[in-house]
């Protein structure tokens, strides 16, 4: 069967990115045991063992799919009472353990994690505040999306059916203060030098949306920089 030129180009991009980010991808993650900010009884009340295991399984899936670069991936799940189960700063998606999941509150509250929260937690929280129906958030670093953002672009949602449902795509600086306007018409925020943040009903849905975002990014890379690859 004749080779597909687009596939050949894609292979070249992936090869280059794999080389560039070899210090992040492909390394065996090490779990970071976050300090337990609350007693096990309180933690179990808000996030029972089954809920925590489901989150660990979803996070591991995102890691196996290559969506997390080293320890830069972040994830959270909304719980009852404006509480959240959050991956600790410095933890790895692959090999994450129960102790790497922190119980956090939307507002500073005694007994809930204040230290050890992921670097971009304020972005997750801003998204939750704007999207009351969002049940989970995922910050990841899919290769094609990073390549596109490095050139100052975000993917074109018109390229694939169903992508319009993700809303507008917004590119912000990592240091930018998240405002309600940033999240008003989108569940997907592209953060320079950090990754892409997706808010969804569940972590499984966030992973599915991220698949779509990365596919859009692949197509956009070929269109904007194809001649360079």
């Amino acid at each position: 069967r004749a080779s597909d030129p687009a596939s050949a180009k894609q292979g070249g991009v992936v090869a280059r990115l794999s080389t560039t980010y070899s210090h992040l991808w492909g390394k065996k993650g090490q779990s970071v045991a976050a300090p337990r900010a609350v007693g096990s009884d309180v933690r179990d009340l808000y996030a029972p063992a089954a809920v925590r295991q489901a989150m660990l399984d979803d996070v591991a899936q995102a890691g196996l799919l290559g969506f997390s670069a080293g320890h830069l991936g972040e994830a959270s799940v909304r719980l009852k009472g404006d509480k959240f189960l959050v991956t600790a700063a410095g933890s790895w998606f692959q090999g994450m353990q129960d102790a790497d999941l922190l119980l956090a509150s939307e507002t500073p509250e005694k007994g809930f994690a204040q230290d050890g929260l992921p670097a971009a937690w304020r972005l997750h929280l801003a998204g939750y505040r704007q999207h009351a129906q969002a049940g989970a958030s995922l910050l990841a670093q899919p290769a094609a999306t990073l390549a596109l953002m490095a050139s100052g672009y975000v993917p074109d949602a018109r390229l694939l059916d169903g992508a319009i449902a993700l809303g507008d795509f917004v590119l912000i600086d990592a240091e930018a203060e998240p405002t309600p306007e940033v999240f008003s018409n989108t569940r997907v925020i592209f953060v320079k030098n950090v990754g892409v943040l997706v808010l969804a009903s569940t972590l499984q849905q966030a992973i599915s949306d991220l698949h779509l975002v990365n596919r859009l990014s692949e197509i956009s890379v070929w269109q904007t920089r194809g001649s360079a690859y």
Side-chain angles (χ1 to χ4, degrees), residues 56-207:
L56 290 173
D57 292 343
D58 290 340
V59 166
Q61 180 186 6
L64 287 171
L65 290 170
F67 287 160
S68 172
H71 62 273
L72 300 179
E74 301 176 4
S76 71
V77 170
R78 191 200 293 265
L79 306 170
K80 60 185 178 182
D82 293 325
K83 303 300 186 291
F84 303 88
L85 199 58
V86 187
T87 55
S91 55
W92 297 69
F93 275 16
Q94 291 179 267
M96 188 173 291
Q97 299 178 9
D98 183 76
D100 297 317
L101 300 180
L102 297 178
L103 188 61
S105 177
E106 181 174 350
T107 57
E109 187 172 337
K110 184 178 180 180
F112 289 84
Q114 302 298 321
D115 299 324
L117 293 171
W121 174 237
R122 62 191 179 87
L123 292 176
H124 297 258
L125 203 52
Y128 279 124
R129 288 169 176 162
Q130 190 64 28
H131 296 279
Q133 301 305 313
S137 63
L138 177 63
L139 177 68
Q141 299 78 30
T145 304
L146 289 182
L148 193 62
M149 286 195 296
S151 298
Y153 295 98
V154 297
D156 185 349
R158 297 169 299 178
L159 295 175
L160 290 176
D161 293 339
I164 297 298
L166 295 174
D168 299 333
F169 289 164
V170 179
L171 179 64
I172 66 172
D173 292 323
E175 298 78 16
E177 188 64 29
T179 63
E181 291 74 24
V182 169
F183 286 94
S184 60
N185 295 311
T186 184
R187 298 187 292 106
V188 182
I189 298 292
F190 297 81
V191 188
K192 294 179 182 177
N193 303 317
V194 174
V196 55
L197 176 67
V198 178
L199 288 118
S201 57
T202 65
L203 268 182
Q204 279 288 318
Q205 184 61 53
I207 292 171

Side-chain angles (χ1 to χ4, degrees), residues 4-16 221-222 225-229:
D4 183 353
S7 297
K9 284 185 177 181
Q10 180 176 353
V13 173
V14 172
R16 293 184 182 205
V221 165
W222 315 149
R225 301 171 62 188
S227 60
Y229 291 92

Side-chain angles (χ1 to χ4, degrees), residues 43-56 85 98 101:
R43 193 167 183 249
D44 288 340
L45 175 64
Y46 285 101
V51 172
R52 301 197 305 271
Q53 187 58 54
M55 183 173 180
L56 290 173
L85 199 58
D98 183 76
L101 300 180

